[in-house]
Amino acid sequence: MTSFVVFIFEIIFWFSCFLVIQTYVLFPKLLDFFSRNKKQNQNIWALNDFDLPHVDILLAVYNEEAVIERKIQSVFDTNYPLSHIHFYIGSDASTDNTNTIISRCLHTYPNINVQIFARSGKSEIINALYRKSNSTIIICTDANVFFEFDTLYHLAKHYKESSIGMVGGNILNPEVKKSGISYQEKAYLERENRIKYLEGISMGSMIGAFGGCYSIRRDLFKEVPKNWLVDDFYIGMQVLRQGKQTINELSAICTEDVSNKLMEEFRRKVRISAGNFQNLFAFLDLMSPTKGGVAFCFISHKVIRWLTPFLLILILCLNLMLYKQGYVYQLTLLGQGLLLTSMCADQLFRLVGIHLKLLRFITHFYSMNLALFVGFIKYIMGIKTSLWNPTERNQ
């Protein structure tokens, strides 16, 4: 290689390394810096305010017999006025006992409005339930996400402030096991919750509420396109596109059991990843420098992360080409080799019942980036349906 080619390769190599470090390390640190001396919105409703808004809860379910009754109970076991709660459940042609359990709950909880759909996918059902709703605030949730006593209040209280268009919930994972990846998933979700919170208080630009629990002003809700895989991200980005703030409320606590099986979580991540690329190209305008904090958070938190599998491949290929250019590149190549082989070591240790957290985190990181890559392939091949099956959880 000529010295000029080597120079170009070196620039690309180090810039690619910087981007990976930016999204995983520097960006959270910058959010900490930008959030200093800032607080969450203080213009909120009190629980006993006469104007406390009515809320419509939208829930799409498919074969959720294991959790649906507990879910319904968690919604109505609340300090929020029951007269202000309207619960819309859409069953996506469930084939287990989900519909029977919901029907039984109707006798106890008359605030439930249930509709059984032909198999059509979550996005289509959420759209249909939205059209049936009429309260000023909509809360979207999942069947395996259980509310605390005051969750609904904390999801609704911020809408006294007219600039706020979406409020994300704080999903916690109470149980983990050493044998799989539930510990790593729990750590990942907790970190994501904090990043979203800091995005909200520093720039009013939480990028993507967790789909299992968030609220939105009804007049900002945009129906999700057909065959769209990640509906919650699409809905949240539409709020930002309309110039309203999105925040994460850490007091809006709910619990969700996470997957402990790597392959089960991999399957879910592939589906989400394909939807991520749908959203990437749908919201290119929000990466414009004129969008300020929205663009900064979108690019740093999501876009670069979605591109990380390609950056990792590029870094490895360039490192192989630059191997003879000095000991620095030999050390970086050795480091990459150790990271990749540690996944094999993790699998070998797992077979004999040894579970090392560090090795499992490395396996989790690379497997989730592989899921992103596979999801991109699925995206470019064309997404023909948004039908889904519930992920097997750590129950």
Side-chain angles (χ1 to χ4, degrees), residues 10-28 30 191 296 298-312 314-315 318 365 369:
E10 287 182 317
I11 290 176
I12 298 174
F13 174 81
W14 290 112
F15 183 66
S16 299
C17 291
F18 167 78
L19 290 177
V20 176
I21 295 171
Q22 153 69 3
T23 189
Y24 284 100
V25 180
L26 296 180
F27 175 62
L30 287 171
R191 186 171 184 267
F296 174 69
F298 184 28
I299 294 171
S300 298
H301 187 184
K302 294 299 182 180
V303 176
I304 299 175
R305 190 176 296 184
W306 295 341
L307 298 177
T308 294
F310 308 99
L311 293 173
L312 293 175
L314 180 61
I315 289 169
L318 288 172
F365 173 78
N369 274 284

Side-chain angles (χ1 to χ4, degrees), residues 232-252:
D232 46 276
F233 193 88
Y234 178 89
I235 292 168
M237 296 302 281
Q238 289 287 6
V239 173
L240 290 172
R241 181 177 272 168
Q242 294 173 79
K244 294 297 184 179
Q245 294 185 26
T246 58
I247 63 172
N248 197 30
E249 175 51 70
L250 297 182
S251 297

